[in-house]
Structures are given as C-alpha cells and as structure tokens.
Amino acid sequence: MRATVIHGAFDVRLEERPDPKIEGPGDAVVKVVASCICGSDLWPYRGENPVKRPRPIGHEFVGVVEEIGAEVRTVKPGDFVIAPFVVSDGTCPHCLAGYQTACQNLVGYGSGKADGGQGEYVKLPYADGTLVATPEPPDDALVPSLLTLSDVMGTGWHAARSARVKAGDTVVVVGDGAVGLCGVLAASRMGAERVVALSRHESRQKLAKEFGATDIIAERGDAARDAVLELTLGVGADAVLECVGTKQSMETAFEVARAGATVGFVGVPHGVEVPIRTMFGRNVGLNGGAAPCRAYLPDLMADVLSGAIDPGKVFDSEIPLNDVAEGYAAMHERRAIKVLLRP
C-alpha cells in the first residue's frame, strides 16, 4: 500500500509500505476513503518537533472496514467508520470516564502498532474501543463533515465544553485554524449569544461568520486584547477557547477573559507559560487538553447526519494522496485552512 512518511523538516513522501494484516483478535483493517492533514502535523513538518527517524504520519481518517480480528464485536467488514485521532481500548478507567486520550493502553497512529492515517489502509488494535460506525454508508457529500469528527470538530467541541460555554455567554475564540473555526461552531451550537473570532484572514473570517461568529477581530496581541475589552465594555469574555498552543495565544486568552471565566485550551502547547498569578488574582480557570473525540463522536455524528452542523466546510482544499507533499506546503504557507486527501 501507499502511505505518507515524514523524513524530516519539509520532507514528506508517499512511499510503498507493507500491506496491513490482522495480528491480534481486537484488530481491524480499514480501507481509507478520506484522510487529511492536521495543524499538529505541521509542528514536525516545520522542524519544531524533531523527527528522529522516518515514520508514517497522519491521524485523521474515515473508511470502510476490510477485515476484523476474531474478538471484534462493534464493527464488521463493510461498515463505514470514523477513527478518532488516537487508538484507545475503551475499557480502562480513563476511557470509561470519557477521557480516551488518556487511555492506559493508548496507541498512536504511525507508532508501529497502528499504521499512519495518511495512506490507503490502516491496521489498528482495539477496534471496539476506537472505531465508530455510521448507521449506514453515508452519501459522499457527508464524508468531509464526518472526517472532521476524527479530530477538529471534536477538538473544537472540547475547547467549548472545557471553557464551560453556556447559553447567553460571550465567547472569544483565539485561533482561526480548523480547530478554532470548529470552536466557533461549537460555541454557537451551545447557545453562546456572542462569539468573537480572532482572525485576520478574509477566507477564515467568512467561514467563522458562517459558523456563528458575531464579531471578528483582526488584531493580535495587545491590540486584540484592547478590541475585545472595547466590545465587552471593559469586562472581557465569559469563556475563552484557546486553539493554537503558542505563548502569545495563551497570553491573549487570559488577557481577554473576565474575572471568573474559564479558558478552554486544546492547542498543543509550545513554549506556553501558565499565568498562575493572573489565575489566582482574577479567579480565571484553565481547563482542557487533548480532546477525547471518541467520547463526543456519537452525538456529533448524529448532528452531522441530521444536517444540524456542517463542519466539513473547513476543508477548502481536496487533493489526491499523490499530492500530499503539496498539501503540507499549502497548509504551512496558509494557502489552505485544511487539506482533505483522497487515496
């Protein structure tokens, strides 16, 4: 099979890899229908996370089950399935509590125990604890939105849930990537009265408004803080979604939070320092982390299938797997919000 392998900074290649085979009774082999490139894939692509050796990459995909191990019970060959961005057993105490990304037997895609997601096939363990089948094979038009449930829509939802967004709130979303835009959609879906998106890119501003943003702020840093405070009559936001993971984005998140607010953070932290004195003095909370997308999948899938939400609009580029290197370049250069790959 063909699969994407990262060799180092700015070096991703589509290579021939061994065809996957069932090795354990809980395994499944999935034929990939669509996968995508994640913002977090750009950290190693840019060289900010070291690549010690060539490895398969990709952790977001949907597809059709080809084969299952003898003990798999919840999916069967022919099922269309959504795969959350980590493999979890579904039975450990953390999984049962709804935090599958902290599974005691967590497996990452491309780790050797599971294939990378940006390929033609994926073999993974713990199929029962990980894969979620749709009630019937979906129309192809729904595939992009279902694909977002593997990561970005669930992650945006986790940001809003972690920030304790409730009806009537004023919410600020820091970050205009696919996760931030899905955070806008989540906050709107949860009943926020005002959703302020921080974005300075016209195409992303437009989509943020489609997803429910009531206000757009193009400034960064201190200017963004001042603009939010002006919008909120000096009070700040009831809830803040931090969807980037940089030092500046976290600082902005706390600066625009009102006293007693919660910052929901889902951006993978890079160089972030938590302002504990600000948290103490203003009673601002911090909550979040790696999103347990598996926990949110059933409800979000129902919303997609009913037409209540259409998060697949975050894909503004769809290319064949053969062109995966160009997909990475497009996202790195911000020519694309999110790239969908078709094998």
Side-chain angles (χ1 to χ4, degrees):
M1 71 166 182
R2 298 176 305 155
T4 304
V5 177
I6 185 165
H7 286 255
F10 304 104
D11 186 3
V12 292
R13 310 174 195 176
L14 191 64
E15 298 181 352
E16 290 292 329
R17 304 279 296 179
D19 290 336
K21 298 178 181 179
I22 296 294
E23 297 176 350
D27 291 357
V29 173
V30 178
K31 182 177 182 179
V32 176
V33 169
S35 62
C36 54
I37 300 169
C38 182
S40 63
D41 293 331
L42 298 181
W43 292 108
Y45 178 74
R46 292 170 176 150
E48 295 178 68
N49 288 355
V51 179
K52 297 179 181 178
R53 64 185 67 84
R55 60 176 176 84
I57 193 169
H59 53 260
E60 302 163 276
F61 65 95
V62 294
V64 177
V65 177
E66 287 266 306
E67 190 178 358
I68 58 174
E71 295 180 5
V72 175
R73 297 289 179 265
T74 63
V75 297
K76 62 185 185 302
D79 282 350
F80 185 94
V81 292
I82 304 162
F85 68 84
V86 294
V87 177
S88 53
D89 64 20
T91 60
C92 80
H94 304 323
C95 286
L96 294 176
Y99 291 94
Q100 291 88 346
T101 43
C103 176
Q104 291 177 332
N105 294 296
L106 191 73
V107 173
Y109 293 105
S111 63
K113 295 181 180 180
D115 295 300
Q118 294 165 6
E120 294 178 311
Y121 291 88
V122 174
K123 189 275 292 184
L124 67 153
Y126 305 125
D128 283 343
T130 304
L131 300 175
V132 177
T134 56
E136 57 187 31
D139 187 86
D140 192 64
L142 288 174
V143 167
S145 283
L146 293 171
L147 178 57
T148 68
L149 307 188
S150 67
D151 188 344
V152 291
M153 185 62 219
T155 299
W157 190 268
H158 188 56
R161 181 177 178 270
S162 297
R164 299 183 174 91
V165 174
K166 62 184 183 303
D169 275 354
T170 292
V171 178
V172 170
V173 181
V174 183
D176 65 355
V179 170
L181 291 166
C182 288
V184 169
L185 180 56
S188 178
R189 178 78 171 147
M190 292 178 182
E193 183 175 323
R194 195 170 200 177
V195 181
V196 183
L198 272 52
S199 173
R200 57 182 180 179
H201 299 87
E202 186 176 350
S203 61
R204 298 169 190 236
Q205 293 173 351
K206 181 180 177 182
L207 186 53
K209 289 180 179 178
E210 286 186 47
F211 280 176
T214 56
D215 301 272
I216 303 291
I217 290 176
E219 289 81 5
R220 292 281 185 94
D222 291 347
R225 174 201 63 205
D226 293 345
V228 170
L229 293 177
E230 183 178 352
L231 273 179
T232 59
L233 303 178
V235 176
D238 301 305
V240 184
L241 281 54
E242 194 286 304
C243 302
V244 183
T246 63
K247 182 175 185 290
Q248 184 186 67
S249 63
M250 187 65 82
E251 288 176 349
T252 298
F254 276 96
E255 287 173 346
V256 301
R258 68 174 297 168
T262 299
V263 174
F265 80 109
V266 293
V268 180
H270 285 74
V272 171
E273 295 180 3
V274 176
I276 196 70
R277 279 286 184 181
T278 297
M279 296 170 67
F280 182 81
R282 298 177 55 236
N283 284 273
V284 175
L286 179 65
N287 190 30
C293 291
R294 178 62 181 82
Y296 304 133
L297 240 168
D299 288 343
L300 291 177
M301 181 174 70
D303 279 352
V304 167
L305 295 178
S306 71
I309 59 173
D310 186 11
K313 290 180 179 179
V314 297
F315 292 109
D316 57 344
S317 177
E318 181 175 323
I319 62 175
L321 185 62
N322 281 339
D323 297 333
V324 63
E326 164 57 21
Y328 270 83
M331 285 187 61
H332 166 65
E333 296 164 8
R334 296 183 74 84
R335 291 184 280 114
I337 299 171
K338 193 165 179 69
V339 174
L340 187 148
L341 304 168
R342 295 275 191 173

